Amino acid sequence: MSRELTRRLLQLYIGLALYGVSSAVLVRAGLGLEPWGVLHQGLAEKTGLTIGVVSIIVGAVVLLLWIPIRQRPGLGTVSNVVVIGVAMDGTLALVPDVHGLAGQIPLMLAGIVLNGAATGLYIAARFGPGPRDGLMTGLHRVTGRSIRLVRTAIEVAVVATGFALGGSLGAGTVVYALAIGPLAQFFLRVFAVPAPENGSTVVAGRIRDRAIIPR
């Protein structure tokens, strides 16, 4: 196994695990979750399943939606479905709830920054998009609508459904929405791996230009 491939695999799985950790940290902060996290938490409240298990189920269902729009999954896509959910449940089992804004706000901010770093790690590894991200880009391709419009429509529907089911919507959701793009763009540059075909690096501007938020 080449050094580059080893690095990419490490980045993929460390990034996915940290993404799950960051999502769990946002749950424990109690100030609002990222858009898909709102849906996962709402479904967990209604079904009695853990939020990590719900995340895995939702990821698998979203991956099935790739079939009619002819999206092709990669190793990172399939790994995304499982690793993030397992890491979430493992972290939630170890980290207790935090009470009081003096603890909640720093925990929320740490979770958002960690999420951005995790995003940069696993996307820069170049093993394929997450199932939710691939759904967005696939719908963009088949409908001709802009990525920004498709993403906004999906995430508004996800947040509204999750909130109606009892998911946590709050200041953390707003801060996440504003901060994750710049954070992910920065960490994509930090963790970029040279592409083999021409020696160039992952284009960190992709998130900015296409407004893609992973997962």
Side-chain angles (χ1 to χ4, degrees), residues 61-126:
V61 170
V62 172
L63 193 54
L64 290 176
L65 297 177
W66 283 31
I67 297 173
I69 58 176
R70 298 181 180 180
Q71 288 284 92
R72 293 183 178 180
L75 174 64
T77 309
V78 178
S79 299
N80 181 296
V81 173
V82 178
V83 175
I84 290 175
V86 171
M88 280 189 71
D89 277 351
T91 304
L92 289 170
L94 296 173
V95 179
D97 286 324
V98 175
H99 302 285
L101 291 178
Q104 289 175 292
I105 291 175
L107 192 62
M108 176 195 75
L109 294 176
I112 292 171
V113 173
L114 182 59
N115 191 279
T119 295
L121 275 165
Y122 97 79
I123 290 185
R126 303 194 319 271

Side-chain angles (χ1 to χ4, degrees), residues 39-41 43-44 47 49-59:
L39 177 63
H40 298 156
Q41 189 180 53
L43 288 170
T47 62
L49 299 172
T50 67
I51 191 170
V53 169
V54 169
S55 173
I56 292 171
I57 293 171
V58 170

Side-chain angles (χ1 to χ4, degrees), residues 108-185:
M108 176 195 75
L109 294 176
I112 292 171
V113 173
L114 182 59
N115 191 279
T119 295
L121 275 165
Y122 97 79
I123 290 185
R126 303 194 319 271
F127 280 108
R132 299 154 184 84
D133 206 21
L135 175 65
M136 180 172 52
T137 55
L139 289 174
H140 155 69
R141 179 173 49 80
V142 300
T143 65
R145 302 293 184 180
S146 70
I147 282 285
R148 190 176 299 276
L149 177 61
V150 173
R151 174 195 159 195
T152 300
I154 291 174
E155 294 198 349
V156 167
V158 164
V159 168
T161 303
F163 182 67
L165 292 171
S168 177
L169 184 64
T173 310
V174 176
V175 175
Y176 181 94
L178 294 174
I180 191 61
L183 284 170
Q185 182 178 326

